Structure formats: C-alpha cells, structure tokens
Amino acid sequence: MRIIVQKFGGTSLSTKQARNQAVQHIKRARQEYDAVVVVVSAMGRNGDPYATDSLLQIIHENGDSLPSRERDLLLSCGEIISAAVLCSILRAEGIPSTVLTGGQAGIRTDARFGDARIMKVIPARITASLKCGEVVIVTGFQGSTADGEITTLGRGGSDTTAAALGAALQASLVEIYTDVDGILTADPRIIQDARPLPAISYHEVCQMANYGAKVIHPRAVEIAMHARIPLRIRSTFSFSEGTWVMDPALLPQYERVSDRHVTAIAHTQGLTQVQVSAESHQPDLQVQVFQAMAKAGISVDFINVNPSGVVYTVRDSEALRAKTILEELGYAPELNPGCAKVAVIGGGINGVPGIMSKIVSALAAHHISILQSADSNTTIWVLIHQDEMELALRALHDQFALSER
Ligand code: ASP
Ligand code: MG
C-alpha cells in the first residue's frame, strides 16, 4: 500500500475556505496514493476560538493552578475539534473518513505532560481503517501513555505526529501544509525576494528550523531523517511544488542542489553576549561559570572558551539573572544585549574555500561588525547587533545571490 501522510497546520484549517482548499489536496492525494492519513493541528491562531493559544488564554487568569495533566486534557481538545470538523467536510463530499485521537491512533508517549516524547507507535487501528478505504484523520500534537493518560507533545508537535506516523506506516511521503510556498531562502518579511527552495537536505532544514524559520519542527525532521522518509513542505493555498526535504543522495536531480554552496540564511534575535575575562587568580573560571549557568537552568549558546576567558550568549530575558550570578561569584561580566545570530546555511559549504571571506566582506561593506563567529559542516554563524540584522541579512542574501537560482 502506497501511503501518504498529509499534515495541515492551524492556518490551513482556520476558515471554511482554507478547509476547502485542504480538502482539494486530500482529494488529489487519494487519486495518487493507495491510502491517505491526515494529521491536523488545532484551527487557527491565537484569538481564533479553538486555537491552542486561545485554549490556554481561557485559563490564563487562574495562573498556574491547572496541573499539567489536566492542562493536556484542555489542549488536546483543539485538535479533536479540528479533526471532527474536517471529517464532516469529507463525509459531506462523500469521502469515507474517520477520526482517531493520538492515543487511538496508537501513539504511545512517556508521561511528561506538556512535552511528552513518543515512545512507540502501534498503527494497527489506522491500518485497519485504511484497508477499508477510509481517510484516517489523526489529531496531531497528542498521544497517550500506557495507562491511557492523554499527553501533548510540546508546541508545534503536530509536525512530530505526522513524521512519527509516516515512519510507523512506512509512508511514501509526508506532506506538511502551511501558509507559505515551502522553505524560503530567508525570512520573506525581511527579504522580499526570498525564493522558495525546490529541495533541501534534512540537515539544512534542521538548521533553519533551529534558527527562526518555524516552518517545521526540528524533531519531525529528525524522525523523518531517521526513517528516510521524504518530507514535502508546501502551501495549502496553492498547487505550487513546495520544498522537498530529503537525503541528498536519494534523488539524482538533487545532486545539483547539493552542489550549491549556500542554501539559505536564517536568524534569531533577542540574545545577550556575555563576556567573562580571566585574571591570573581565577584558574577555575571556565568550570565555575558554566556550572553556575547550568545550576541556574540558563541555557548558553555560541560558546567560546579560551585562555583569556569565556564568551557566550544567553536569551536577553535571562541576561540580568546571569549577570547577578556571575557577580556573586566575584566576576565582572561584560554584557552586550540586543544581539542577533545570523546563520549562513549550506550542505555544500564544508571544505569550500572562500565562504567566510564572502561573509566577512559582505558585512564589512556595510560596516557591520561581527562580534563572534562559529562554524559547523553545514553552517557558519555570526553574532551581530540586532539593529544591523536586516541590513546583514540583505547583504548576505545578495552576496550569495540566493534569489537568483
Ligand atoms: N496546536 C499545537 C500548537 O499550536 C500543535 C501544532 O500546531 O503543531 O502548538
Ligand atoms: Mg507548526
């Protein structure tokens, strides 16, 4: 059985018109595949009646009074409503369909309410319905423990549901429907001529997802990568091709894509650079600083340790706490708030001379100073001041001619 999993996000289900568009994609998939599994998010965004944030808003005034188990019961309703509504449309169109909650669909999780991990998927009930010719609609973002407790998978978790079902059912493809035409070369709100990418590797998309481009949850990508199932990220509101996410080795035409050096630019802001310089009487500095951050639960990033001290970033919201802790230890940290991390991502940059040189010259041409940098096989990061970020993104997008291919 050739199975496709199609996941529709909140904006793809928020209005009657959007839901009808989603149904067009489901109908087409029924013609092209033997079986269709649909995963849904809660309908709409904050403010829409049954969106996840709206459900949270209802209990907001009661502070943290609701235990996480009961909170998950509340949150799971959004996806259940969405699934039942979609089922009613499909049925009205004469398409046999059925709804399964995460638990009913066989998604077993641990008991970490609010941020549960999928332990295994037992898809027997889905498979049975598919064999009867039904479209199976599964509520995203939720599962159940071995004891039957309802759990949710953390925000953005319906992507994870789709990927996990894709893996368990050995689907031919997992499609993620959203409100943009796939993965773009940069944030289109800043770079007007950002271009949708026809294809991208799992590694590249993980980098993008970690740095601001919130089109897909990184955990979903990991699951798909491990199961070697291709993902396709595309818009509900058009029939454009979207972006294929897969192993570069799998598609012959993809080879050309991995030949490109830089694929995309992503960014994240709201960071404070923390610098702690060592004096000769502070031999334990490295150990003390990072132990203290760990103990305080402050996540550190962009870390650089050298004999003259340490430098790293924290979220702006944690900066004051970090400063106080360091001062209590007797250090005099220097804080540089309002920074942004820009990621130049490309599966093909490894071992290619000249990429850093191009980055540095593009930024220097606009007098943007790099506060710190780091690199991996697929990414070069630079830390800059947030007020220069838009300029930097444009300069880099132009430097690598990303809108042109
Ligand atoms: N509705 C959930 C959320 O808003 C899950 C999802 O949409 O992926 O986080
Ligand atoms: Mg999402």
Side-chain angles (χ1 to χ4, degrees):
M1 216 172 14
R2 288 182 73 244
I3 301 176
I4 183 171
V5 177
Q6 299 184 300
K7 179 255 169 179
F8 293 94
T11 47
S12 300
L13 298 166
S14 59
T15 63
K16 197 171 157 192
Q17 191 217 351
R19 293 189 284 272
N20 286 335
Q21 302 258 31
V23 168
Q24 296 313 311
H25 290 289
I26 296 171
K27 281 186 179 165
R28 203 191 24 163
R30 284 187 85 221
Q31 286 165 3
E32 290 174 16
Y33 291 83
D34 300 322
V36 182
V37 175
V38 172
V39 173
V40 293
S41 286
M43 298 190 286
R45 290 211 172 114
N46 198 4
D48 292 324
Y50 312 110
T52 306
D53 283 307
S54 309
L55 299 174
L56 284 171
Q57 201 54 41
I58 304 173
I59 54 162
H60 178 69
E61 62 189 52
N62 307 319
D64 292 334
S65 66
L66 193 64
S68 54
R69 174 184 172 277
E70 282 72 12
R71 195 168 167 275
D72 272 3
L73 285 176
L74 172 69
L75 292 188
S76 67
C77 297
E79 271 70 12
I80 294 178
I81 294 170
S82 182
V85 170
L86 187 62
C87 183
S88 74
I89 304 172
L90 291 179
R91 290 270 177 168
E93 301 238 358
I95 300 171
S97 66
T98 189
V99 172
L100 297 177
T101 64
Q104 291 167 345
I107 297 176
R108 291 287 163 274
T109 72
D110 62 17
R112 265 191 273 177
F113 294 104
D115 195 23
R117 293 289 180 278
I118 298 176
M119 308 308 285
K120 62 177 169 187
V121 180
I122 309 156
R125 201 163 160 187
I126 299 183
T127 317
S129 291
L130 292 179
K131 282 192 180 138
C132 299
E134 289 177 320
V135 171
V136 178
I137 306 171
V138 180
T139 57
F141 173 58
Q142 55 179 266
S144 72
T145 65
D147 303 337
E149 296 286 358
I150 292 177
T151 52
T152 65
L153 306 178
R155 298 307 304 272
S158 30
D159 293 342
T160 309
T161 305
L165 290 181
L169 294 162
Q170 294 180 315
S172 311
L173 172 64
V174 173
E175 288 187 326
I176 305 284
Y177 284 87
T178 174
D179 52 0
V180 288
D181 275 330
I183 310 250
L184 304 189
T185 50
D187 185 341
R189 286 165 300 187
I190 299 172
I191 307 296
Q192 279 77 24
D193 57 352
R195 185 178 52 91
L197 289 155
I200 185 169
S201 74
Y202 295 115
H203 287 289
E204 288 173 326
V205 85
C206 269
Q207 287 299 333
M208 298 205 64
N210 284 327
Y211 293 96
K214 292 218 163 62
V215 272
I216 184 163
H217 198 292
R219 192 166 295 139
V221 181
E222 269 167 27
I223 295 172
M225 176 161 64
H226 188 245
R228 309 193 98 205
I229 293 180
L231 297 168
R232 189 176 177 183
I233 299 170
R234 56 191 302 189
S235 170
T236 306
F237 307 99
S238 76
F239 284 98
S240 55
E241 287 291 301
T243 303
W244 286 86
V245 183
M246 56 172 61
D247 191 332
L250 286 184
L251 264 188
Q253 74 254 36
Y254 191 87
E255 277 172 39
R256 294 196 300 265
V257 180
S258 67
D259 274 347
R260 72 188 166 207
H261 299 142
V262 171
T263 301
I265 316 276
H267 61 95
T268 177
Q269 38 187 332
L271 304 173
T272 294
Q273 185 190 38
V274 181
Q275 224 164 334
V276 192
S277 306
E279 287 170 30
S280 50
H281 62 278
Q282 295 171 317
D284 294 338
L285 179 138
Q286 299 165 4
V287 176
Q288 279 195 342
V289 167
F290 293 114
Q291 263 179 3
M293 295 297 113
K295 202 168 149 229
I298 298 177
S299 151
V300 295
D301 189 30
F302 225 144
I303 304 149
N304 193 304
V305 178
N306 59 59
S308 63
V310 297
V311 54
Y312 57 94
T313 60
V314 298
R315 306 280 339 153
D316 279 342
S317 53
E318 303 271 42
L320 260 182
R321 216 154 60 84
K323 181 170 184 265
T324 314
I325 292 168
L326 293 169
E327 283 170 352
E328 277 166 8
L329 286 172
Y331 297 112
E334 273 173 52
L335 264 62
N336 196 352
C339 294
K341 187 174 179 180
V342 174
V344 176
I345 298 161
I349 63 176
N350 196 20
V352 178
I355 305 282
M356 189 59 177
S357 158
K358 280 188 169 175
I359 294 174
V360 173
S361 355
L363 298 180
H366 291 88
H367 310 290
I368 297 169
S369 45
I370 300 176
L371 305 171
Q372 236 180 290
S373 73
D375 62 280
S376 77
N377 277 348
T378 54
T379 309
I380 295 175
W381 297 271
V382 292
L383 189 73
I384 56 172
H385 268 293
Q386 207 160 276
D387 43 21
E388 295 174 330
M389 191 190 74
E390 297 204 6
L391 190 60
L393 292 177
R394 266 189 219 110
L396 292 168
H397 202 264
D398 287 349
Q399 175 73 305
F400 292 102
L402 294 184
S403 45
E404 279 165 33
R405 270 165 292 165

